[in-house]
Amino acid sequence: MNSEEILRKNVTRLREQRGWSIQELASRLNIDRTYLSKSESGKRSFKVSEVNRLAELFGVSVDSLLGRPEKNDNNNTADLADDDIIFTFEGKPIPEQDLEYMKRLLHGGRK
């Protein structure tokens, strides 16, 4: 799979994980829905400026969007209380009720 195919799959995956339609993502990027749809389906390529905006919007690096190994100079920490982060396990989003259970466990079983 080449980097364009990986990019398309990652954009689609990240969009769907957030529950966004193509229209909603296009609105957030301030581009035409048809234009974005063609990009996701491979009928046109994403522009470099769009890749940068997508990375910023999804909170990931451009390397991650392109399927490249991340250059990791830090510990990549995230707080379970951060509602803007989608926590995953084995590539699948952790359901909200499971995250709440994890939080209770970390608080010693109390809320």
Side-chain angles (χ1 to χ4, degrees):
M1 189 177 321
N2 67 37
S3 61
E4 279 195 44
E5 292 170 320
I6 292 169
L7 172 62
R8 287 195 310 268
K9 283 185 166 243
N10 283 335
V11 168
T12 302
R13 177 182 53 81
L14 290 165
R15 176 180 61 74
E16 290 174 348
Q17 280 180 346
R18 285 159 178 75
W20 296 345
S21 65
I22 288 178
Q23 178 61 51
E24 183 166 356
L25 179 56
S27 294
R28 289 172 183 265
L29 293 170
N30 198 28
I31 62 174
D32 182 70
R33 183 199 62 76
T34 304
Y35 191 74
L36 177 61
S37 180
K38 287 180 179 180
S39 299
E40 271 196 28
S41 68
K43 293 178 181 155
R44 71 169 279 279
S45 296
F46 284 101
K47 294 179 182 176
V48 171
S49 61
E50 293 168 341
V51 175
N52 287 325
R53 287 181 16 217
L54 285 162
E56 184 178 321
L57 181 63
F58 289 132
V60 299
S61 69
V62 170
D63 282 337
S64 173
L65 278 179
L66 296 174
R68 298 179 188 150
E70 297 259 354
K71 297 175 183 102
N72 192 355
D73 295 335
N74 61 16
N75 291 332
N76 273 352
T77 62
D79 193 314
L80 279 175
D82 190 341
D83 293 332
D84 293 332
I85 294 177
I86 297 175
F87 290 93
T88 62
F89 180 70
E90 296 179 342
K92 297 177 185 162
I94 298 172
E96 184 62 35
Q97 65 271 19
D98 292 348
L99 287 173
E100 291 302 320
Y101 178 69
M102 291 167 60
K103 290 175 192 176
R104 283 196 310 275
L105 286 175
L106 292 168
H107 283 287
R110 52 185 161 60
K111 210 161 194 179

